[in-house]
């Protein structure tokens, strides 16, 4: 039976209040959770349950880490379909008049294998490439609300991460389309973004066109013209057309 979680009085918890890591143990994926800032939970009852909700595409799973008074260190992920799921910490009351009340929760973030939720692992790239079974498509872009976009590459492609980062056809034909789709999402807001990942994308755009921010107060045609200039700058800096022509010429000469 599905139970509803009541939201009244929810406290916003910082992601830094917990250290969450995921590791591979044989064929199992195990998530560890440690509270590093107990002050964030000081006014919550020790019987409140600690839950970590994972979701990616159409799949979701909730991991139980015990209670604040008796926390569990680890929990196993049962769903093998996850590649880099988005996760959210939730603390839920379990008894008394507050039973079922969501006492606190964090914003969402990407749960990456081998790293924590913040810091170096989270900022290593503004675009993640991950293998996944997405047949019959070769690639698929997932733009998330609170974390960096993910490009899934079908796992049937040999060494998909290397292919996506080095193949001249992908770089010159697919990557500009991915960049366009991400920036169209950012530009829809009509004002400079507040999300951390989107700010990093705007900072990257400034390296290509220094001092030329999007015309936030103008209409869609002006914004798309700015985006066209950005893609031209990106392709010119990395000689995308030259890479593609070189690959084609080598294949013809072979």
């Amino acid at each position: 039976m599905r139970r509803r979680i009541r939201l009244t009085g929810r406290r916003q918890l910082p992601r830094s209040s917990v250290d969450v890591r995921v590791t591979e143990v044989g064929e199992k994926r195990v998530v560890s959770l440690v509270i590093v800032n107990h002050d964030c939970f000081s006014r919550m009852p020790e019987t409140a349950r600690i839950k970590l909700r994972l979701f990616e595409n159409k799949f979701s799973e909730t991991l139980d880490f015990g209670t604040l008074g008796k926390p569990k260190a680890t929990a196993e992920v049962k769903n093998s379909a996850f590649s880099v799921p988005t996760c959210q910490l939730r603390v839920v009351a379990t008894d008394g008049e507050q039973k079922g009340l969501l006492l606190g929760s964090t914003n969402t973030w990407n749960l990456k294998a081998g790293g924590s939720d913040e810091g170096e692992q989270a900022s290593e790239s503004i675009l993640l490439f991950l293998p996944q079974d997405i047949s019959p498509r070769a690639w698929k872009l997932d733009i998330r609300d609170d974390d960096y976009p993910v490009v899934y590459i079908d796992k049937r492609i040999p060494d998909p991460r290397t292919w996506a980062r080095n193949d001249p056809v992908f770089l010159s034909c697919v990557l500009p389309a991915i960049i366009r789709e991400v920036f169209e999402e950012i530009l829809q807001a009509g004002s400079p973004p507040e999300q951390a990942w989107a700010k990093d994308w705007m900072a990257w755009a400034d390296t290509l066109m220094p001092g030329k921010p999007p015309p936030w107060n103008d209409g869609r045609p002006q914004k798309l013209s700015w985006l066209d200039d950005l893609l031209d700058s990106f392709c010119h800096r990395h000689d995308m057309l030259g890479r593609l022509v070189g690959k084609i010429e080598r294949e013809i000469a072979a």
Side-chain angles (χ1 to χ4, degrees), residues 64-109:
D64 192 315
F65 287 90
T67 66
L68 290 176
K70 295 181 179 180
K72 289 172 52 181
T74 62
E76 181 183 344
V77 179
K78 302 295 185 182
N79 195 328
S80 60
F82 290 137
S83 292
V84 55
T86 295
C87 66
Q88 182 187 40
L89 176 71
R90 294 181 169 193
V91 181
V92 182
T94 59
D95 53 22
E97 294 181 356
Q98 288 189 323
K99 185 175 182 180
L101 183 70
L102 181 62
L103 302 176
S105 65
T106 63
N107 291 329
T108 59
W109 75 91

Side-chain angles (χ1 to χ4, degrees), residues 128-143:
L128 304 175
F129 293 90
L130 293 170
Q132 192 178 61
D133 183 6
I134 57 169
S135 176
R137 297 172 63 175
W139 65 275
K140 180 180 179 182
L141 175 64
D142 181 12
I143 301 178

